[in-house]
Amino acid sequence: MTLTILAASAGAPAHLNPVKLFLDADIVVQLVMLGLLLASVWVWTIVVSFSVRMGAVKRADAAYEQGFWQAQDIEAYHGQATRGDAPLARVAAAGLAERRRSLAAKGLDREGARQRLAAVMGSVVEQESDALGERLNFLATVGSAAPFIGLFGTVWGIMNSFFQIGQQQNSSLAVVAPGISEALFATAIGLFAAIPAVIAYNRFSGAVNGFEARLQRFADRFHTTLSRELEAE
């Protein structure tokens, strides 16, 4: 048995080969690895796309808000073609539209108009926040499920290794080690997918919360401005 182990060790690779581990694995373990690799690719796609989108949103909001509070005519300022792409602009558009409807109605109900303004702009704030964070749930799902999916592949691979021991009636390390290595590789891929997903989800959730808070502060301040205008009517 000692000679068998030494001979196997002499022909063994000097380091782990991930591709060989994948190709030599059981079909069930291969499917688990493939699914986790696809999930990892999608996680990084979300990370990159969200980062780009968040940067664009921040720049658009900063550019819009920079002149908004200094504008003498908010309607005219908002009507400029380059102003409508910012989430803050959509919040302002909802408030301005509701103000026009309230002023056009007979018998202006100022208290009711103020409530409608708050409700309309609050709804847009929630819509914008939901739209920005719509794919973050996938990160949370991968972060929580990937380690267990990888563990399933590991358990299956180890079970297959013990089956091979029984079939060959040989419990030497040379027989068991390859199967166990392939099985553990599934858990490693699960962690490879889960760790970035958890980190990205926590970071991006904070970014979405900050984004929503900024929109809400803008909506509250604009609501105050519109309320004063309604009082003057």
Side-chain angles (χ1 to χ4, degrees), residues 49-63:
S49 63
F50 183 92
S51 299
V52 172
R53 186 179 180 188
M54 194 68 196
V57 164
K58 286 182 177 180
R59 288 190 296 271
D61 277 350

Side-chain angles (χ1 to χ4, degrees), residues 95 98-99 113-122 223 226-227 230:
E98 182 58 39
R99 185 190 67 169
R114 281 194 290 267
Q115 293 178 2
R116 289 191 297 272
L117 285 169
V120 166
M121 289 192 290
H223 179 269
L226 294 177
S227 296
L230 290 174

Side-chain angles (χ1 to χ4, degrees), residues 95-117 120 230 233:
L96 292 171
E98 182 58 39
R99 185 190 67 169
R100 287 193 294 268
R101 286 191 293 266
S102 297
L103 293 177
K106 294 181 180 180
L108 175 61
D109 178 8
R110 292 179 175 81
E111 183 59 32
R114 281 194 290 267
Q115 293 178 2
R116 289 191 297 272
L117 285 169
V120 166
L230 290 174
E233 294 295 333

Side-chain angles (χ1 to χ4, degrees), residues 48-137:
V48 173
S49 63
F50 183 92
S51 299
V52 172
R53 186 179 180 188
M54 194 68 196
V57 164
K58 286 182 177 180
R59 288 190 296 271
D61 277 350
Y64 180 82
E65 193 173 15
Q66 185 175 10
F68 182 85
W69 299 116
Q70 299 175 357
Q72 297 298 322
D73 186 343
I74 291 178
E75 290 273 7
Y77 176 83
H78 178 75
Q80 297 180 31
T82 58
R83 306 293 186 183
D85 293 335
L88 288 181
R90 289 188 280 273
V91 175
L96 292 171
E98 182 58 39
R99 185 190 67 169
R100 287 193 294 268
R101 286 191 293 266
S102 297
L103 293 177
K106 294 181 180 180
L108 175 61
D109 178 8
R110 292 179 175 81
E111 183 59 32
R114 281 194 290 267
Q115 293 178 2
R116 289 191 297 272
L117 285 169
V120 166
M121 289 192 290
S123 177
V124 175
V125 168
E126 292 179 1
Q127 290 175 4
E128 292 293 332
S129 300
D130 290 343
L132 184 64
E134 62 184 349
R135 292 194 294 177
L136 297 188
N137 287 335

